[in-house]
Amino acid sequence: MQVKKISEHIWSLKMWMIIPIHVWVVIDEEGVTLVDAGIPMMTKGITKFIEQLHAGPLLRILLTHGHSDHVGAVKGTLKKYEVPVYAHQIEIPYLEGEVIYPRRKKLEHNLPKALVSPLLDDGLTKLKKIGGLTPYFTPGHSPGHVVYYHEIDNVLLAGDLFTSKSGRLKQPMPAFTANMKQAVASASIISYLKPKQLEVCHGNTVFQPSDQLEEYIKKMERKLGGQ
Ligand SMILES: [Zn+2]
Ligand SMILES: [Zn+2]
């Protein structure tokens, strides 16, 4: 497992499994928040790192969405830390295996029922800040995908809203994306937030991502227009 401090309050933990898989550890005055939980093989590395950090106990796990490569270490981590797990309420029936993810053929029982709680909201679209992070609803890759914005560090933890290569924004993995058009529309969150740094689960850091947004959207519109 590769650990990297990416900003004052955030570390990324990476493992390779054909593609890179990242999770993020975020600290605040109260303790530690884990954003996404990768694959089961990452469990030991995650819990060990949190222990060594001495930044307080793990307080919660936040999920960008419920695909299996984002929830793998949840169960193992909960054996050590009994903490709540949150995802967008729209995502929960899909990851619990109650509803089939769009464009998939069968139910995915990625986490047991009643384990994941809905992120709290201030009305229909505005989600409540949690652990120094503000969630934003960014559907498309999955029906209830969210990104987490760390305002103080000006870093956006974007899950699978994008992938990236050599510092450039790339589309989320097409085979696993429920609605690419909607995912491209959700990408505009970066021009609204203007983070100085964007982190994705499957790729490397993108600096000043909003500078690339126009080009990204044009490229994707050309691509999708032909379908
Ligand atoms: Zn995904
Ligand atoms: Zn993924």
Side-chain angles (χ1 to χ4, degrees):
M1 184 110 84
Q2 205 177 309
V3 177
K4 193 171 148 197
K5 187 166 192 197
I6 58 166
S7 66
E8 199 187 334
H9 299 92
I10 309 173
W11 285 259
S12 76
L13 278 57
K14 173 167 95 173
M15 190 170 252
W16 274 90
M17 190 75 188
I18 307 165
I19 50 166
I21 298 175
H22 289 88
V23 306
W24 300 280
V25 169
V26 183
I27 58 165
D28 64 9
E29 316 79 62
E30 274 125 51
V32 178
T33 299
L34 176 67
V35 178
D36 277 353
I39 51 175
M41 268 165 71
M42 295 173 85
T43 307
K44 221 176 171 181
I46 291 169
T47 51
K48 233 182 176 173
F49 176 72
I50 291 170
E51 229 169 86
Q52 288 168 354
L53 199 55
H54 294 297
L58 182 69
L59 299 174
R60 60 187 75 82
I61 301 173
L62 303 178
L63 302 173
T64 58
H65 63 300
H67 286 162
S68 58
D69 57 327
H70 294 252
V71 306
V74 166
K75 276 195 234 165
T77 305
L78 292 183
K79 278 189 192 146
K80 196 167 163 70
Y81 299 97
E82 256 182 71
V83 295
V85 182
Y86 296 97
H88 195 283
Q89 59 174 337
I90 290 176
E91 188 77 4
I92 295 175
Y94 296 94
L95 67 87
E96 286 183 344
E98 200 156 294
V99 185
I100 301 178
Y101 272 109
R103 301 187 56 225
R104 309 308 293 172
K105 287 205 173 69
K106 45 180 201 219
L107 294 169
E108 290 182 33
H109 300 277
N110 293 341
L111 285 175
K113 284 222 163 102
L115 189 143
V116 183
S117 309
L119 287 161
L120 297 175
D121 59 53
D122 278 331
L124 216 57
T125 51
K126 202 172 167 357
L127 296 161
K128 268 203 173 124
K129 193 171 169 177
I130 182 165
L133 296 156
T134 309
Y136 289 91
F137 183 48
T138 49
H141 174 70
S142 73
H145 190 280
V146 296
V147 295
Y148 294 97
Y149 181 52
H150 196 287
E151 201 177 336
I152 298 170
D153 291 5
N154 202 2
V155 172
L156 187 67
L157 304 177
D160 285 356
L161 179 59
F162 304 98
T163 58
S164 71
K165 206 177 176 189
S166 313
R168 306 296 299 171
L169 293 175
K170 301 273 175 220
Q171 65 178 344
M173 282 183 284
F176 297 97
T177 296
N179 184 331
M180 191 60 86
K181 262 195 181 145
Q182 197 183 28
V184 173
S186 289
S188 62
I189 189 70
I190 59 175
S191 75
Y192 172 68
L193 297 171
K194 297 220 164 39
K196 78 166 193 295
Q197 193 173 335
L198 175 122
E199 302 289 332
V200 295
C201 183
H202 313 298
N204 303 107
T205 303
V206 178
F207 292 102
Q208 307 296 350
S210 57
D211 292 353
Q212 296 179 33
L213 184 66
E214 211 186 302
E215 195 192 320
Y216 172 78
I217 289 177
K218 267 192 196 148
K219 198 171 146 191
M220 288 305 295
E221 276 172 352
R222 271 201 304 274
K223 202 174 231 172
L224 296 169
Q227 278 178 6

